[in-house]
Amino acid sequence: MSDMPEQIDDLIYAPDPDYPYPFPVPQPPHFWMTEQTGKLSVAVERYFSGERLSPDDLRLLRSYLHQYVARAMIAEGADRQALLRKIETLKSNRDVERFADELSEAGIEPF
């Protein structure tokens, strides 16, 4: 992984050498806590606390989840492309929660 920050959409991720992605993948996913603008952490905290997510929160979470699912190690037999397509359908806290459960079943833990 590069030592340089990476911008994805309007989020900027900085690598954290103290918390590297634990699996050998071509391009490791970024964890939400390494995002530098602070916008993603606000959206994630709202999600964790059960507050209603705004359209912008959902947009940021979808962007984060897309890069994570695209790059993360995935369980054998899981359909990465189907998971990536599903990200665009997330419209509420409950949708994100169900999707996180589905990701967990595929061996992906973005939160």
Side-chain angles (χ1 to χ4, degrees), residues 2-108:
S2 168
D3 292 339
M4 300 297 296
E6 180 180 7
Q7 182 165 352
I8 301 173
D9 298 327
D10 58 343
L11 300 174
I12 300 170
Y13 298 92
D16 183 349
D18 295 328
Y19 195 49
Y21 187 67
F23 304 106
V25 294
Q27 190 172 20
H30 295 286
F31 291 106
W32 67 269
M33 353 16 150
T34 65
E35 199 281 318
Q36 302 299 296
T37 68
K39 295 184 272 189
L40 181 59
S41 64
V42 170
V44 171
E45 291 300 328
R46 282 190 187 119
Y47 165 65
F48 286 163
S49 69
E51 290 180 51
R52 183 175 180 182
L53 297 171
S54 72
D56 197 50
D57 293 334
L58 286 162
R59 180 184 62 79
L60 295 169
L61 286 170
R62 285 192 299 264
S63 172
Y64 167 68
L65 288 167
H66 190 275
Q67 68 81 31
Y68 203 97
V69 171
R71 297 175 176 194
M73 180 75 78
I74 193 167
E76 189 174 325
D79 186 341
R80 185 184 311 270
Q81 293 308 312
L83 292 170
L84 288 168
R85 285 189 300 272
K86 190 172 273 191
I87 291 169
E88 290 309 309
T89 69
L90 304 177
K91 306 287 187 218
S92 68
N93 296 53
R94 186 70 182 126
D95 291 346
V96 174
E97 184 178 335
R98 287 181 184 138
F99 186 65
D101 290 343
E102 188 173 347
L103 290 178
S104 180
E105 292 174 13
I108 301 174

